[in-house]
Amino acid sequence: MNYRPGRIFLSVPHMGGHEKNYVQKALEDNWVTSTGPNLPGFEHDICQHTNARHAVALNTGTAALHLALRLLGVKAGDEVICSTFTFVASANPILYMGATPVFVESEDETWNMCPDILRDTIIARLKAGKRPTAIILVHLYGMPANLSKIMAVADEFGIPVVEDAAESLGSRYSGHQVGTLGRIGVFSFDGNKIITTSSGGALVTEDQQLAEQALFLATHARDAAPYYQHSQMGYNYRLSNISAGIGRGQIEMLEKRVKQRREIFTYYKNQLQHIEGLQFLQEPKTCFSNRWLTTVLLPESHHPEKVRLALEEENIETRPLYKPLHLQPLFAQYPYYGNNLSANLFERGLCLPSSSSLTEEELDKVVKHLKRILEYV
Ligand SMILES: *Cc1c(COP(=O)(O)O)cnc(C)c1O
């Protein structure tokens, strides 16, 4: 950790105030492990906020993605399509299943999976005699992907979509909460996300059977017998009732956190957009982004790593955009379809401090130094 007092972080937890009431009640009632009233309570809250029909609270977003692939029947040797421009946790569960990831490039408009390249990819895989079992679609940095076109392509070929909405709780596409349009949606409540349970995740779906099966598999797949009997391999993926209590307090603040992160984006944009060559990711008309992280593309004359290090000197944390998965050593051997748009984003972009708890002074400090670095260096 590069911790020095006064540091401005990229994205930190932001307590709402009621978390401790839920946690204290759990401690008083001795519901401290993976059963207790905060779990259905939190799941109910998730459904209320997302309009999802069913939610299952889990101990990480990665676990939710892993379960999603298991529920969709992904088997060893299968192919699963995944956005290339994302965090590694979107694709690791494909490897957990012994399946093969097939990476699809982003579109310029949202930086998320390009529907046209997706269609070409499916056709190419079908020609090669491989029928993809599922599509993992990511809504990166809070920006919804082009859901109507992606779903149309997926439906054309009858391939189920898992929405990795880990970074985009509260974002909407044509008025629909992201995570609810695919067969399964996944959220993360890791410490750096828009709300947190310290560590946690959730799987949402319209399908009651899938939801029941998810809970069953997440709790060791125990058969209905008085003794411990197991017919299927399960996992230990349930969220704890303590963590769910934090989540209940956090989710009360979700709308406010979205508003705050959007205001941070607007502030950066207003202060910095005059800098020549600097670009912000705009919201297409159909999209409402939670602006989890404000991202910028820097002028060509400035290398992001130099800017990052210059801000680091001022005790300000920024982060490179994700290095696309098809360029990761871990995934180098797997198929990739596209034009390397995300490689270009990676070369040019930076994530700016975006915590909902940022003060005006802190924001001013980031802006002041960015202006200095970009305008006069
Ligand atoms: C954070 C994240 C995940 C994984 O969530 P965890 O709760 O950290 O396991 C998956 N996908 C994306 C895009 C993420 O940002």
Side-chain angles (χ1 to χ4, degrees), residues 62-122:
T62 309
L65 282 164
H66 188 192
L67 279 178
L69 297 185
R70 175 79 187 271
L71 291 170
L72 295 178
V74 172
K75 291 183 296 300
D78 282 6
E79 292 192 348
V80 175
I81 291 176
C82 184
S83 305
T84 190
F85 191 43
T86 183
F87 180 52
V88 68
S90 302
N92 271 336
I94 303 171
L95 300 185
Y96 302 167
M97 300 303 296
T100 299
V102 175
F103 294 110
V104 170
E105 190 50 87
S106 297
E107 57 172 12
D108 199 40
E109 223 189 356
T110 62
W111 294 5
N112 293 312
M113 188 185 281
C114 172
D116 297 330
I117 300 177
L118 171 65
R119 193 164 188 283
D120 293 345
T121 300
I122 295 171

Side-chain angles (χ1 to χ4, degrees), residues 60-62 65 86-87 89-90 138 140 164 166-167 188 190 193 200 322:
T60 61
T62 309
L65 282 164
T86 183
F87 180 52
S90 302
V138 185
L140 206 66
D164 178 350
E167 301 181 355
S188 167
D190 187 59
K193 301 287 159 50
Y322 293 115

